[in-house]
Amino acid sequence: MNILSLLLAGGRWRCFPVPLGSSLFQALHNSCCRKKSTAPKKIIPHVDFSDENAKESGKALDKLFSSEQQASILHVLNTASNKELEAFTLLRGKKSLSIVEHREKFGPFQNLESLMNVPLFQYKTTIQVCNSILNPETGGKKRKLQENRLLRKLIKPEIGRERLKAINSIVSIVSGTRRIAWAHLDRQLAVLDWQQTEYCRLMKGTYLSSAYLEEISSVVSKMPKADFYVLEKTGPSFQNSSLFPILLHFHIMEAMLYALLNTTFTRDGRHQVLSMNRNAVGKHFELMIGDTRTSGKEVVKQLLSESVLKEEPRVFFPPDKIVRYRQMFSSTEQYRVEELYDSLLQAIAFYELAVFNTES
């Protein structure tokens, strides 16, 4: 028995009989069977159940919120401006604009289900938005948590926000291998005191604790009183063993300053001495190149000039002291006295990052 088969020859289809038992017939039969077995994957259309899912989700929304809650949510959605909607964390950006545009085009939202007709709003998103409208303080709590995390990276040990808000003045202290400098600033960023002193014998000899105590006690006696004393937290890596004496020096200095300046800690357990991340200060004043911090001399020089030239400078140097500070800066400009520059910059950064950023 013959069947008709089709072959493409010279760009045209030609028909000719093929015996059932022939190899060509078998090849054609196998080919057809393979195509038939895989064909359903290609020809079965994709069925979209989104409309049914949306209806079911809409009904579920009504069960999640009481009638009073639904009324409150709809009132906000139907009356709030684009800017007012953006006050809710989850409605910032395109979502708030989409709500206003949908409202203007189709009229007020009649139920929570209709919110799912707005672009960018799926079932889970709609629930989150409704909850954020009912509990607007959630966004504020999240911001406070973020601020607290940033503070933990910035200063050690942790202190309460209330104490930060109440600060009236600080003394910012930066010590090096040969000198120590401090800057006394109030919360108006007025420089009340700014100076440095050298200690030559601490990096020589056997690093006796008694020598540190005598030297640092003498320095601390010259420092003014303040609500907090802020130390620069720095130090070379343990991986470089040749720098161990310097690292040891920094740790001893920090320990001595903590002990001598925390005068009330034994009575009330409250820290008056804090350590501040050096690189965070560098980033604040754009002094970082990769992981390396560059000199702050030019920034300090600019701050001194602005104090004279600008009506509202970033930092205020009192008229009776500005001449002395400018002379001090000029006399040290040719030397690397980074501790002097850094003590001032650290004080400014502490107020701007840790104090003013936490004020509500």
Side-chain angles (χ1 to χ4, degrees), residues 77-92:
L77 295 174
N78 289 327
T79 60
S81 65
N82 180 37
K83 188 174 182 180
E84 290 171 335
L85 288 171
E86 284 191 335
F88 300 98
T89 305
L90 295 176
L91 290 178
R92 291 174 183 169

Side-chain angles (χ1 to χ4, degrees), residues 40 49 76 81 95 103 111 139 169 181-182 272 303 336:
F49 295 101
V76 172
S81 65
K95 286 188 175 69
R103 194 172 67 197
N111 47 48
S169 73
W182 64 88
Q272 282 185 284
L303 292 172
R336 286 188 61 84

Side-chain angles (χ1 to χ4, degrees), residues 208-221:
L208 291 175
S209 299
S210 58
Y212 272 90
L213 179 61
E214 293 170 9
E215 193 76 38
I216 302 308
S217 294
S218 175
V219 173
V220 167
S221 67

